[in-house]
Amino acid sequence: MPRLAIIGAGITGLSTARSLAAHPAFGAASLCLFDKGRRPGGRLASRETEFGSFDHGVQRALLGEPAAQIHGAGTLRAWPAADSLSESPSWIAEPTMNRLAQAWSQGLDCRCSVTVTGLARDGHQWRLGFDREQDDALFDQVLLTIPTPQALALLGTAGIENAALSAVRYQPNWTVMWTPSIPLPPTADHWAGTANDPIAWLAREDLKPGRVGPPRLTIQASAAWSIEHLERPADEVAARLISIAAEVLGLPADARPIYASAHRWRYAFVEQPIGVAAFELAPGLYYASDACLGSNVAQALSAGEAAAALIGANIDNA
Ligand SMILES: Cc1cc2nc3c(=O)[nH]c(=O)nc-3n(C[C@H](O)[C@H](O)[C@H](O)COP(=O)(O)OP(=O)(O)OC[C@H]3O[C@@H](n4cnc5c(N)ncnc54)[C@H](O)[C@@H]3O)c2cc1C
């Protein structure tokens, strides 16, 4: 039975794993996912605090109804208020966005808090290096689903370069989670900025479908603001974005936080995707992620499915 390691348990990695788990030559027992995060999901991220939960990565999945049924794992519900000009409706996972990733990872060998630090050819197999001891290190196939700068660093340990991966550029994003000390006035559940606004998106977490807890907001800075403040300390970023958000929402200047935290996504959104859904870097070594087709849930799912098809076909032809 061929053994496959998937590096990265974000949407792409989990999508590949779910597809291959149903492949006759694989099955879930042949797969092992490694992720440096504490939970699967990657940018499909949520933080649960005593001051309420925050979706500080993906806000909504834009999927057609059939795709939402296939991928929803019983967690998705419609968020009609967030429907934009997009052709697809908006979906939100309950009780947080990250629970979708947790549902997808059920029944898979998904090892979190493990960073893959090295990669080397070993006969016909690939040997992985880790930041902590693992019982498995040798795999017949390896799929990288991590952002391209991290993939290139890992490939470098095996002496592999790749021009398509090197050409990819990402926009960063600063996101702030804020529970204010004063009641919030009734507002829409989200607000989207225009091109020149420092804030790109504001969401009232407590008003999203299926959410409970105190009034609270997730604030996403624009790409330009995030780039300008990329290396500033998180506390300073939180204070600045809260002050801008208070002004946008017409809140008094003393709307101090009882909870505030800023998260920096260094690789948030791909500027120009590669344009190929998944590809082989070397024999038995593959790449797929949202860098392939575009930075959104639907495209990451597609990249993962394409990687599964590519790996499955190579096994069938072997
Ligand atoms: C703030 C923000 C808001 C967004 N909002 C939306 C939205 O509303 N709708 C939408 O459709 N899309 C949204 N996106 C985009 C969406 O999140 C991404 O396109 C998608 O999640 C990418 O999934 P992925 O699996 O390709 O990559 P990732 O989610 O980045 O997964 C890669 C995984 O690899 C792991 N990893 C990296 N290096 C290593 C290593 N060496 N060893 C082990 N593990 C490693 C990481 O921990 C991570 O879990 C948003 C993104 C951000 C940042």
Side-chain angles (χ1 to χ4, degrees), residues 102-115:
Q102 292 181 42
W104 285 338
S105 69
Q106 292 300 310
L108 299 173
D109 183 358
C110 187
R111 304 184 190 178
C112 290
S113 302
V114 179
T115 302

PDB file of all heavy atoms in Angstrom, residues 102-115:
ATOM      1  N   GLN A 102     -12.206  20.886  11.363  1.00  0.00           N
ATOM      2  CA  GLN A 102     -12.185  19.793  12.350  1.00  0.00           C
ATOM      3  C   GLN A 102     -13.085  18.642  11.888  1.00  0.00           C
ATOM      4  O   GLN A 102     -12.741  17.471  12.054  1.00  0.00           O
ATOM      5  CB  GLN A 102     -12.607  20.318  13.713  1.00  0.00           C
ATOM      6  CG  GLN A 102     -11.575  21.282  14.306  1.00  0.00           C
ATOM      7  CD  GLN A 102     -11.980  21.796  15.673  1.00  0.00           C
ATOM      8  OE1 GLN A 102     -12.462  21.054  16.506  1.00  0.00           O
ATOM      9  NE2 GLN A 102     -11.803  23.081  15.899  1.00  0.00           N
ATOM     10  N   ALA A 103     -14.224  18.984  11.286  1.00  0.00           N
ATOM     11  CA  ALA A 103     -15.120  17.936  10.777  1.00  0.00           C
ATOM     12  C   ALA A 103     -14.456  17.176   9.620  1.00  0.00           C
ATOM     13  O   ALA A 103     -14.515  15.952   9.556  1.00  0.00           O
ATOM     14  CB  ALA A 103     -16.440  18.555  10.322  1.00  0.00           C
ATOM     15  N   TRP A 104     -13.796  17.923   8.731  1.00  0.00           N
ATOM     16  CA  TRP A 104     -13.121  17.273   7.597  1.00  0.00           C
ATOM     17  C   TRP A 104     -12.023  16.319   8.076  1.00  0.00           C
ATOM     18  O   TRP A 104     -11.715  15.338   7.411  1.00  0.00           O
ATOM     19  CB  TRP A 104     -12.482  18.320   6.691  1.00  0.00           C
ATOM     20  CG  TRP A 104     -13.430  19.090   5.829  1.00  0.00           C
ATOM     21  CD1 TRP A 104     -14.688  18.724   5.439  1.00  0.00           C
ATOM     22  CD2 TRP A 104     -13.184  20.371   5.223  1.00  0.00           C
ATOM     23  NE1 TRP A 104     -15.236  19.703   4.643  1.00  0.00           N
ATOM     24  CE2 TRP A 104     -14.339  20.715   4.489  1.00  0.00           C
ATOM     25  CE3 TRP A 104     -12.104  21.252   5.227  1.00  0.00           C
ATOM     26  CZ2 TRP A 104     -14.444  21.908   3.771  1.00  0.00           C
ATOM     27  CZ3 TRP A 104     -12.202  22.434   4.510  1.00  0.00           C
ATOM     28  CH2 TRP A 104     -13.361  22.759   3.788  1.00  0.00           C
ATOM     29  N   SER A 105     -11.374  16.644   9.188  1.00  0.00           N
ATOM     30  CA  SER A 105     -10.215  15.837   9.613  1.00  0.00           C
ATOM     31  C   SER A 105     -10.623  14.567  10.375  1.00  0.00           C
ATOM     32  O   SER A 105      -9.760  13.738  10.678  1.00  0.00           O
ATOM     33  CB  SER A 105      -9.283  16.691  10.485  1.00  0.00           C
ATOM     34  OG  SER A 105      -9.902  16.984  11.720  1.00  0.00           O
ATOM     35  N   GLN A 106     -11.918  14.423  10.645  1.00  0.00           N
ATOM     36  CA  GLN A 106     -12.365  13.221  11.358  1.00  0.00           C
ATOM     37  C   GLN A 106     -11.988  11.973  10.567  1.00  0.00           C
ATOM     38  O   GLN A 106     -12.213  11.913   9.362  1.00  0.00           O
ATOM     39  CB  GLN A 106     -13.887  13.238  11.563  1.00  0.00           C
ATOM     40  CG  GLN A 106     -14.364  14.312  12.531  1.00  0.00           C
ATOM     41  CD  GLN A 106     -13.757  14.150  13.920  1.00  0.00           C
ATOM     42  OE1 GLN A 106     -13.789  13.079  14.493  1.00  0.00           O
ATOM     43  NE2 GLN A 106     -13.185  15.218  14.429  1.00  0.00           N
ATOM     44  N   GLY A 107     -11.425  10.979  11.231  1.00  0.00           N
ATOM     45  CA  GLY A 107     -11.076   9.715  10.582  1.00  0.00           C
ATOM     46  C   GLY A 107      -9.758   9.758   9.821  1.00  0.00           C
ATOM     47  O   GLY A 107      -9.342   8.754   9.245  1.00  0.00           O
ATOM     48  N   LEU A 108      -9.099  10.910   9.798  1.00  0.00           N
ATOM     49  CA  LEU A 108      -7.801  11.020   9.126  1.00  0.00           C
ATOM     50  C   LEU A 108      -6.686  11.051  10.177  1.00  0.00           C
ATOM     51  O   LEU A 108      -6.893  11.515  11.299  1.00  0.00           O
ATOM     52  CB  LEU A 108      -7.738  12.317   8.299  1.00  0.00           C
ATOM     53  CG  LEU A 108      -8.766  12.452   7.172  1.00  0.00           C
ATOM     54  CD1 LEU A 108      -8.698  13.860   6.562  1.00  0.00           C
ATOM     55  CD2 LEU A 108      -8.529  11.400   6.095  1.00  0.00           C
ATOM     56  N   ASP A 109      -5.495  10.569   9.769  1.00  0.00           N
ATOM     57  CA  ASP A 109      -4.334  10.647  10.655  1.00  0.00           C
ATOM     58  C   ASP A 109      -3.738  12.044  10.488  1.00  0.00           C
ATOM     59  O   ASP A 109      -2.916  12.277   9.601  1.00  0.00           O
ATOM     60  CB  ASP A 109      -3.332   9.547  10.262  1.00  0.00           C
ATOM     61  CG  ASP A 109      -2.125   9.524  11.185  1.00  0.00           C
ATOM     62  OD1 ASP A 109      -2.048  10.371  12.092  1.00  0.00           O
ATOM     63  OD2 ASP A 109      -1.253   8.655  10.978  1.00  0.00           O
ATOM     64  N   CYS A 110      -4.201  12.965  11.300  1.00  0.00           N
ATOM     65  CA  CYS A 110      -3.824  14.378  11.171  1.00  0.00           C
ATOM     66  C   CYS A 110      -3.001  14.780  12.393  1.00  0.00           C
ATOM     67  O   CYS A 110      -3.522  14.867  13.495  1.00  0.00           O
ATOM     68  CB  CYS A 110      -5.094  15.220  11.047  1.00  0.00           C
ATOM     69  SG  CYS A 110      -4.765  16.935  10.692  1.00  0.00           S
ATOM     70  N   ARG A 111      -1.714  14.976  12.176  1.00  0.00           N
ATOM     71  CA  ARG A 111      -0.806  15.247  13.301  1.00  0.00           C
ATOM     72  C   ARG A 111      -0.506  16.744  13.377  1.00  0.00           C
ATOM     73  O   ARG A 111       0.195  17.292  12.521  1.00  0.00           O
ATOM     74  CB  ARG A 111       0.484  14.454  13.138  1.00  0.00           C
ATOM     75  CG  ARG A 111       0.167  12.976  13.010  1.00  0.00           C
ATOM     76  CD  ARG A 111       1.396  12.138  12.951  1.00  0.00           C
ATOM     77  NE  ARG A 111       1.028  10.774  12.589  1.00  0.00           N
ATOM     78  CZ  ARG A 111       1.892   9.793  12.417  1.00  0.00           C
ATOM     79  NH1 ARG A 111       3.188  10.020  12.571  1.00  0.00           N
ATOM     80  NH2 ARG A 111       1.477   8.596  12.075  1.00  0.00           N
ATOM     81  N   CYS A 112      -1.070  17.380  14.384  1.00  0.00           N
ATOM     82  CA  CYS A 112      -0.901  18.830  14.548  1.00  0.00           C
ATOM     83  C   CYS A 112       0.262  19.143  15.472  1.00  0.00           C
ATOM     84  O   CYS A 112       0.790  18.250  16.134  1.00  0.00           O
ATOM     85  CB  CYS A 112      -2.205  19.438  15.052  1.00  0.00           C
ATOM     86  SG  CYS A 112      -3.477  19.392  13.777  1.00  0.00           S
ATOM     87  N   SER A 113       0.649  20.411  15.498  1.00  0.00           N
ATOM     88  CA  SER A 113       1.805  20.889  16.279  1.00  0.00           C
ATOM     89  C   SER A 113       3.090  20.168  15.863  1.00  0.00           C
ATOM     90  O   SER A 113       3.983  19.947  16.679  1.00  0.00           O
ATOM     91  CB  SER A 113       1.563  20.720  17.783  1.00  0.00           C
ATOM     92  OG  SER A 113       0.403  21.401  18.178  1.00  0.00           O
ATOM     93  N   VAL A 114       3.165  19.769  14.601  1.00  0.00           N
ATOM     94  CA  VAL A 114       4.370  19.128  14.057  1.00  0.00           C
ATOM     95  C   VAL A 114       4.813  19.929  12.832  1.00  0.00           C
ATOM     96  O   VAL A 114       4.062  20.038  11.857  1.00  0.00           O
ATOM     97  CB  VAL A 114       4.098  17.667  13.621  1.00  0.00           C
ATOM     98  CG1 VAL A 114       5.368  17.049  13.033  1.00  0.00           C
ATOM     99  CG2 VAL A 114       3.567  16.834  14.778  1.00  0.00           C
ATOM    100  N   THR A 115       6.010  20.488  12.897  1.00  0.00           N
ATOM    101  CA  THR A 115       6.548  21.225  11.746  1.00  0.00           C
ATOM    102  C   THR A 115       7.463  20.308  10.947  1.00  0.00           C
ATOM    103  O   THR A 115       8.336  19.653  11.526  1.00  0.00           O
ATOM    104  CB  THR A 115       7.344  22.461  12.225  1.00  0.00           C
ATOM    105  OG1 THR A 115       6.488  23.284  13.001  1.00  0.00           O
ATOM    106  CG2 THR A 115       7.884  23.258  11.051  1.00  0.00           C
TER     107      THR A 115
END
